[in-house]
Amino acid sequence: MSEAERTFDAQDSVCPFCGVGCQLTYVEQSGTATGTTGPVNTKGEICPKGAAAFDVVDSDDRLTQPLVREHGHLVTAPWETALDRAERQIQSVVDEHGPNAVAFFASSNCTNEENYLFQKLARTLGTNNVDNCARLCHASTVAAMQSRFGAGAMTNSLDDLREADVFLVTGANPAEQHPVAFRSYLLPAITDGTTTIHVDPRVNDTTEAADIHLPVRPGYDIPLLNAMAAVIVEEDLVDEAFLDERTEGFDVFREFVDGVDVAENAAEAGVTESDLRAAAVAYATADRAAAFTGMGMSQHHCGTDNVHALLNLALLTGNVGRRGTGVNPLRGQNNVQGAGDVGTLPDTLPGYRSVADPDDRAAVAEEWGVEPPTEPGLTEVEATHAFGEDVHAAVVFGENPVLTEPNANGVTEAFQRLDSLVVIDLFETETAQYADVVLPGSAWAEKSGTVTNTDRQVLRMRAMGEPPGDARRDLEVVAELGDRLTDHEYPTDPAAVFDELTRVSPIYAGMSYEGVGDGGQRWPFPADADSGETVLHRETFANGERTAPLVPVEHVPPADELDEGELVLTTGRVITHFNSGALTRRSGTLTRMDSGSVLQINPDDAEARGIEDGERVRVFNDRGEVTTVADVTPATRPGTVFTTFHYDDPAVNRLTGDVLDPTAKIPEYKHAAVGVERL
Ligand SMILES: Nc1nc2c(c(=O)[nH]1)N[C@H]1C(S)=C(S)[C@@H](COP(=O)(O)OP(=O)(O)OC[C@H]3O[C@@H](n4cnc5c(=O)[nH]c(N)nc54)[C@H](O)[C@@H]3O)O[C@H]1N2
Ligand SMILES: Nc1nc2c(c(=O)[nH]1)N[C@H]1C(S)=C(S)[C@@H](COP(=O)(O)OP(=O)(O)OC[C@H]3O[C@@H](n4cnc5c(=O)[nH]c(N)nc54)[C@H](O)[C@@H]3O)O[C@H]1N2
Ligand code: SF4
Ligand SMILES: [Mo]
């Protein structure tokens, strides 16, 4: 496919990458994207990934025909053949083992309508085994916030957060991962004097803008946050009125923090006591303090507890329910918030109704004509672990778990144990290598629908062109699979699907496809920004309770214990690449800006191993090994090395462990014990 064959109409759509949700369009002269004035990027700002978003659409690697496996090899096939094969294989697994032997991996990169139909397909087939990669991402944040506040989403809007006097940014690097939110909302406030505390084992672009840096040891956020709580209580900086009116359990919590030794916890967390105290005092004495939380907090086998410890700080100091405050998870992909909202989760139906609640199931059954199953399904990593045992078929829609799930060597073995794998993607990805059927879908600029951004705004995507070759719109592909596998209605018009969604999901009730197209609609809907209604938990928490509990949280040591000479590997992202790199590695513009895979290693650790900057290194543990290039830098704390998971080689998840958080089932991507040596 050469570029000359593709034409696009300039239409306002939403960037396919991060959860900020910048609006952009096509520029014919340059063949690239440009920002337009959108609900979030109100001055039309975009970052380098947004600007390169057409590189993906136009990539020569795009799948243009379905593929089926013949004699061990994927070969092109007509749609009828591929769909027949997919239908026959999944049906035979259902016939033999029942519907719970099929797992559905939904896509946070795809629209609300596509995801809504996808979970409807799973549930009308008879299984709640449907999940999206929020599981790998903010599942723990959502679990903690849902249980204490009644809503697992940003408490505030990006807009009102500009009013904060203090930002506490923990386990997140928004300067690189949410660049437009950072530059257009956080940075102007910081320039105007908002004090910024950054809790991160590394110095990165966010740290450069911060006043206080707490270089926490990976996995030791609970001792750090508990010590901050102890300082706040000890120095009498709590908000008494808020504690009385809006919280419960302060007496027990006070006893708990009375037992916390601030100096000891600071040492355990690897930060200086004075900096920790300064951070606690700054946060607690601010009129408005806003916390941002990211993967450094959520991706631990104690991720839910990490977030609980952070929620305690907000409750102690009355930093909930007002503009410029709250606890704000910066969400991952352009529709990870929406994928959860519309029900691609194993325990909740659209709108976070519970699969276990008969009334909730009945409400959905009224629309679908069939009741969803009662038993919560398997989460994503649990499903992978069950491949070949309880799960025999999987449909992977817009995800690349072979590179992105933890313990990748185990994951590739698990995929080989499936009887049937159907992949819907744009590319022949690492995951597609294990597929029996690969169905070519549509890229962002070839689809219409809605996505929900990090601050709960439902935004409109508009198709600017047709998918290449025989590739089809994702909505049609999912609907076709649904038609073949179940007896239900799967509309293929996004407006009709959105309409159905507003009837099934209470949080989208009252919204309309046209209204969303006209500048976005935010849940709770309607919310009047001027009267502060875009801030959650103002008079009561979202669960209807007037109070939320303070919860003592005990430290949970990381799953991997360090052997003599081992370092802690933590993983994350850089501005130029996105997740498994399936999209960004195919962009010439972005790869030219990128320096390739490196391992950040502190000079002390490098010297002890005789490693010079730029030398190739082997990183290994008993799960696997990878090779990469040493970036010797004091930016990472001694004892901690850092790299990204954006490449197929090195496939860094060979090193990460798959012990899961007991509540949220999120893996510990942010702490693995590794050996590092010069090659
Ligand atoms: N450029 C770019 N943007 C993206 C993405 C991308 O791949 N590239 N992905 C999107 C997605 S899916 C997501 S979920 C978001 C994620 O956005 P972030 O949450 O910002 O992502 P990470 O880089 O994984 O982790 C953030 C920081 O956590 C730090 N950290 C590591 N271990 C710990 C720890 O134990 N404690 C603390 N406090 N910090 C720790 C890391 O050093 C890192 O700087 O970004 C989205 N935006
Ligand atoms: N070591 C380590 N591993 C991690 C993390 C970490 O911090 N460290 N972070 C985790 C997190 S937060 C996340 S969210 C996951 C991400 O995990 P994944 O979701 O598996 O990663 P992506 O690279 O975003 O994969 C998206 C896939 O969808 C395809 N795709 C994109 N757009 C479309 C579309 O419109 N239609 C269709 N049909 N396909 C599409 C792409 O080609 C790609 O194959 O990774 C997790 N893995
Ligand atoms: S900040 Fe996020 S949504 Fe905006 S252009 Fe960059 S990647 Fe896209
Ligand atoms: Mo994510």
Side-chain angles (χ1 to χ4, degrees), residues 139-170:
S140 43
T141 319
V142 171
M145 294 185 74
Q146 184 90 35
S147 76
R148 304 268 290 278
F149 292 180
M154 272 180 72
T155 56
N156 286 58
S157 67
L158 287 172
D159 193 48
D160 75 72
L161 287 167
R162 290 192 253 225
E163 294 173 25
D165 304 303
V166 165
F167 290 140
L168 169 61
V169 183
T170 173

Side-chain angles (χ1 to χ4, degrees), residues 5 108 121 149 218 272 276 522 639:
E5 290 166 31
S108 316
L121 157 57
F149 292 180
T272 66
L276 184 148
R522 188 197 307 261

